[in-house]
Amino acid sequence: MPATDVVTTARRALGPVGAYLGGPMTGMSPIAEQRREVARLERLGYGSVWTNDQISGKDIFAHLAVLLAATDRIVVGSSVANIWGRHPATMHGGGAVLAEAYPDRVVLGVGVSVARAAEFVGASYDRPLRTMREYLDGMDAPPFAAAPPSAPFPRVLAAIGPKMAALAGERTDGAIPFGMPVAHTAATREIIGPDKLLIVGQQTVFDTDRDRAREIAREQKAAMVKGNPGSPYLTNLTRFGITADEIANVTDSVVDATTAYGDESAILDRVRAQLDAGADQVLLFLSGDSLTATGDVFERLAEPVASLRG
């Protein structure tokens, strides 16, 4: 199946909004709770559910298999599978096995992550673009004889900067940027072109008190600034009119550009803006005290989200 057919199939299955369940809540939550909550998301009509990779914790492919087995229809994706944790042939094989077992329900997001992930395994992060290109070479030409997967699957690349986005458009089925302004979505769509998937991770704080929601968002972003100095998720904001001082001080401009916050209407407005800018799907990244509490918020948002479906 040509890549364009893979993209068309994925677009139809994904729908406009998905649920991102990354962070410690899914890594630490009991498996029974995870099964229950992804099944609830499916019943609520969300098109996809995504989780992240942890080199020192869980295996992303085992985790995706658990989520797939607990559901019947919803698309499950990695956001992202970290290249530092596995050989490229193993990465390809993990996606291929899941795609064969669950046709049209798997999207493999792959990324170079941040410097501390490379340092954790004793690797160097000094040339992430070249590293990612060579890694894709390894995925496309595994060193051991292997039959191609009987069911194809889309592969998307974590792409924040324009060069990584160009690589995503050249070598993969699309891009999956996170925590970026709407203008970044439009710029990425321009780079990768119309025939590639663009799945946008949208940091979201749901609170009917808009001022309180903004302050919660500011605290979350401040923790990210403190914990990830030099992160591409932060430095690339300067491409969109936000200064380094504004990032360091987590000003209103940083919060407003990167986070959807407030009530149902405010969050829906940001989702619409991201879709209008070229996103195929917007992943709502909600934080909560537990996975079940986060599921409660997704349930609250389900009816407004349903209005976006054609």
Side-chain angles (χ1 to χ4, degrees):
M1 184 185 293
T4 52
D5 291 339
V6 170
V7 169
T8 299
T9 299
R11 280 174 169 161
R12 185 165 54 246
L14 287 167
V17 179
Y20 176 70
L21 300 178
M25 69 181 73
T26 49
M28 302 296 290
S29 297
I31 289 297
E33 185 181 18
Q34 295 186 42
R35 291 191 181 108
R36 184 181 67 244
E37 291 308 313
V38 297
R40 172 157 60 150
L41 288 168
E42 182 173 74
R43 289 195 304 272
L44 291 171
Y46 287 92
S48 70
V49 60
W50 297 65
T51 189
N52 64 334
D53 204 358
Q54 294 175 3
I55 293 177
S56 60
K58 66 188 179 187
D59 175 79
I60 187 68
F61 293 108
H63 196 173
L64 294 179
V66 169
L67 303 185
L68 286 160
T71 51
D72 298 314
R73 169 198 53 80
I74 201 167
V75 175
V76 171
S78 60
S79 179
V80 292
N82 198 310
I83 70 168
W84 304 107
R86 55 188 57 82
H87 191 280
T90 304
M91 181 79 81
H92 171 80
V97 168
L98 289 179
E100 185 173 4
Y102 300 95
D104 302 330
R105 293 187 57 202
V106 176
V107 180
L108 178 61
V110 180
V112 74
S113 190
V114 293
R116 63 181 183 179
E119 293 164 0
F120 185 84
V121 298
S124 172
Y125 192 81
D126 60 343
R127 295 184 178 179
L129 184 68
R130 187 177 77 175
T131 299
M132 192 71 247
R133 184 180 293 276
E134 292 174 350
Y135 194 90
L136 291 172
D137 289 343
M139 288 186 69
D140 291 339
F144 306 108
S150 59
F153 61 95
R155 181 180 67 186
V156 296
L157 188 61
I160 301 297
K163 292 181 180 179
M164 196 68 77
L167 181 62
E170 173 193 348
R171 295 289 302 278
T172 76
D173 297 301
I176 180 167
F178 251 74
M180 291 289 106
V182 172
H184 182 276
T185 300
T188 303
R189 172 56 73 193
E190 183 69 22
I191 292 169
I192 68 175
D195 298 326
K196 301 290 185 175
L197 288 172
L198 180 51
I199 301 164
V200 174
Q202 177 64 66
Q203 290 178 283
T204 306
V205 177
F206 176 75
D207 194 316
T208 55
D209 184 325
R210 188 170 172 82
D211 291 336
R212 183 171 59 205
R214 191 188 219 181
E215 289 311 306
I216 293 171
R218 190 189 316 280
E219 291 174 6
Q220 293 176 349
K221 191 63 67 173
M224 182 178 180
V225 170
K226 182 178 179 180
N228 294 278
S231 165
Y233 293 95
L234 300 170
T235 57
N236 269 276
L237 292 175
T238 60
R239 294 169 47 213
F240 303 96
I242 298 174
T243 68
D245 284 344
E246 287 175 316
I247 295 169
N249 293 298
V250 196
T251 62
D252 288 348
S253 59
V254 175
V255 173
D256 294 351
T258 60
T259 309
Y261 61 87
D263 60 11
E264 294 95 332
S265 177
I267 291 170
L268 206 64
D269 284 346
R270 178 60 66 91
V271 172
R272 287 196 187 99
Q274 293 283 22
L275 294 171
D276 289 344
D280 289 301
Q281 185 180 66
V282 179
L283 300 182
L284 297 182
F285 181 10
L286 291 157
S287 59
D289 295 333
S290 69
L291 185 57
T292 300
T294 302
D296 291 342
V297 178
F298 275 114
E299 184 160 355
R300 180 80 176 266
L301 294 171
E303 186 174 344
V305 163
S307 68
L308 296 170
R309 303 189 193 101

